[in-house]
Amino acid sequence: MQQDEVFMRRALALAARGRGTTSPNPMVGAVVVRNGEIVGEGWHERAGEPHAEVHALQKAGEKAEGAVIYVTLEPCSHWGRTGPCTEAIIQAGIKEVVLAVRDPNPRVAGRGVQRLKDAGLTVKEGVLAEQAWKLNEIFFHWITQRRPFCVAKYAMTMDGKIATATGESKWISSAASRARVQQLRHELDGILVGVDTVIADNPALTCRLPKGRQPLRIIVDSKGRIPLEAHVVTVPDAKTLVATTASGAEKLAGALARHKHVTVIAVPADENGRVSLPDLLALLGEEQVTSLLVEGGATVLGSFFAAHLIDKAQVYLAPLVIGGKASPGPVGGEGVASLALAQRFAITDCQTVDTDLLITAYPLPEEKEERSCLQG
């Protein structure tokens, strides 16, 4: 088992190289081992291109005969944009397949394992399963829930403020923290803000990494108030999706028609006449948007938290104190009337980023106990 974990860790490290480039596919790594030595390895580099197993087998060549292949995710057994990996493994003469986790995709979901067993191969499962599940938390959520994995990101001071009473907010977090956020924009499919943020800050909402992938910019604008001169409208570096209601769509469709990178969609309204967030997420999931960076402002974050639609929170805590009753906090809305009704989170990681503290947390079901902050 110790040797299995060594090779699976290598496969997981390879898989992580596909972060930000494989969506809507999962990140997968594969290592071919013969007589205790790695003879081939690879990872899934981009959606539509060969899978990790194919890359690893090609590099192994004839040495794959009688070898063991370590794969972070159950090999596919169906035809998609590429051929089934199970057949490539069988034809290469592999004798044993060691898996981290099964693929919850209904098109795979155990079929790959069964095909390998039917062909006479030995299959071992569950090696570093927790790490493999964590690596592909976005894909597993999207493929089972059919909506994007939503990450709430915000920076606040030690007293819970995101701006002064006059609205000054640049910059609460450090330059190093802001660079981390650019990496997030590269890794996730979309970035979502409310129209009030567009009006107040006029952000470009682009990834500024040299070779970064541009996320889909999603503006929640129930009444069609987006300024036509806003950067998300006039800057074509990334695509923009304006999510509005039927009346808002009627107002905006003609005004934004000349901007080819901007799309307006009408989403059913909730009981308050605003864009229904569950319906919006369902529509995005159908369009293979697997993940969202929810950046705010306070009204949007409040709505997402209130609807229990946040799947992960990343909070940058800056060593500043602003004070003042009129200074805003990161999460708006009406809030809960008692602590018993508060949504609870498990803090899974705390780390320093320059002068800031980055806290990562996940929604915690009522019956589970909160885990303590893990100092890294």
Side-chain angles (χ1 to χ4, degrees):
M1 178 60 73
Q2 185 176 8
Q3 179 174 274
D4 285 344
E5 290 185 356
V6 169
F7 292 127
M8 189 60 77
R9 284 195 181 91
R10 176 57 183 169
L12 287 166
L14 290 167
R17 295 184 183 182
R19 195 180 299 278
T21 61
T22 64
S23 180
N25 292 348
M27 293 175 278
V28 183
V31 174
V32 179
V33 177
R34 183 169 180 174
N35 298 326
E37 294 184 1
I38 295 176
V39 295
E41 58 183 29
W43 69 95
H44 183 39
E45 299 176 13
R46 287 177 183 80
E49 295 186 5
H51 290 183
E53 300 93 320
V54 173
H55 284 301
L57 292 170
Q58 287 176 344
K59 291 180 180 178
E62 295 181 355
K63 293 181 180 179
E65 181 75 34
V68 179
I69 188 169
Y70 292 80
V71 189
T72 59
L73 187 66
E74 178 182 9
C76 62
S77 57
H78 63 279
W79 281 90
R81 284 184 282 184
T82 60
C85 291
T86 52
E87 303 312 303
I89 291 171
I90 294 167
Q91 292 171 14
I94 292 290
K95 69 175 183 179
E96 182 178 357
V97 179
V98 181
L99 300 178
V101 291
R102 290 198 181 191
D103 190 341
N105 185 342
R107 301 180 70 186
V108 184
R111 292 183 176 87
V113 168
Q114 192 59 52
R115 173 69 184 111
L116 295 170
K117 289 181 177 180
D118 289 345
L121 280 70
T122 300
V123 180
K124 184 186 295 185
E125 301 181 57
V127 178
L128 300 184
E130 185 175 351
Q131 292 90 325
W133 188 270
K134 178 69 175 175
L135 177 70
N136 276 310
E137 62 183 358
I138 288 173
F139 172 77
F140 293 151
H141 179 276
W142 172 71
I143 205 69
T144 56
Q145 303 299 315
R146 306 312 299 177
R147 70 168 180 83
F149 184 87
C150 296
V151 180
K153 188 282 301 178
Y154 53 90
M156 67 180 186
T157 62
M158 290 194 303
D159 57 337
K161 308 296 185 180
I162 61 170
T164 66
T166 60
E168 183 183 352
S169 61
K170 294 184 178 180
W171 294 100
I172 285 178
S173 59
S174 67
S177 294
R178 298 196 298 274
R180 284 284 191 98
V181 173
Q182 295 302 315
Q183 182 63 34
L184 261 182
R185 291 184 179 186
H186 162 73
E187 294 175 5
L188 303 183
D189 290 346
I191 177 170
L192 184 146
V193 301
V195 70
D196 286 337
T197 294
V198 174
I199 293 171
D201 301 334
N202 194 21
L205 301 182
T206 54
C207 176
R208 291 185 283 277
L209 298 179
K211 295 183 179 179
R213 180 180 65 135
Q214 294 299 339
L216 173 66
R217 302 177 293 196
I218 302 160
I219 314 302
V220 180
D221 181 12
S222 300
K223 297 182 180 179
R225 297 186 294 125
I226 189 168
L228 300 184
E229 67 277 8
H231 286 146
V232 293
V233 173
T234 61
V235 177
D237 295 354
K239 293 181 178 180
T240 297
L241 180 69
V242 180
T244 185
T245 56
S247 59
E250 185 177 351
K251 178 180 177 181
L252 291 174
L256 296 175
R258 67 186 181 90
H259 298 286
K260 302 304 181 184
H261 64 286
V262 180
T263 302
V264 178
I265 61 168
V267 181
D270 62 17
E271 64 276 9
N272 298 311
R274 300 171 185 160
V275 167
S276 166
L277 294 180
D279 285 323
L280 172 59
L281 295 183
L283 290 170
L284 292 173
E286 290 176 3
E287 294 300 317
Q288 298 190 332
V289 177
T290 69
S291 56
L292 282 183
L293 181 60
V294 183
E295 287 207 351
T299 300
V300 165
L301 278 169
S303 297
F304 267 85
F305 276 112
H308 291 238
L309 294 173
I310 294 300
D311 303 298
K312 180 178 182 179
Q314 291 208 308
V315 182
Y316 290 87
L317 186 65
L320 303 172
V321 173
I322 290 177
K325 293 182 179 180
S327 302
V331 181
E334 296 182 3
V336 297
S338 68
L339 288 177
L341 300 175
Q343 186 179 7
R344 298 184 180 274
F345 283 72
I347 296 177
T348 59
D349 186 66
C350 295
Q351 57 180 292
T352 55
V353 181
D354 194 10
T355 57
D356 301 334
L357 180 67
L358 171 58
I359 301 170
T360 300
Y362 291 82
L364 184 68
E366 291 288 332
E367 65 273 12
K368 291 184 179 180
E369 295 181 359
E370 289 192 64
R371 288 173 281 178
S372 61
C373 181
L374 304 174
Q375 298 293 338

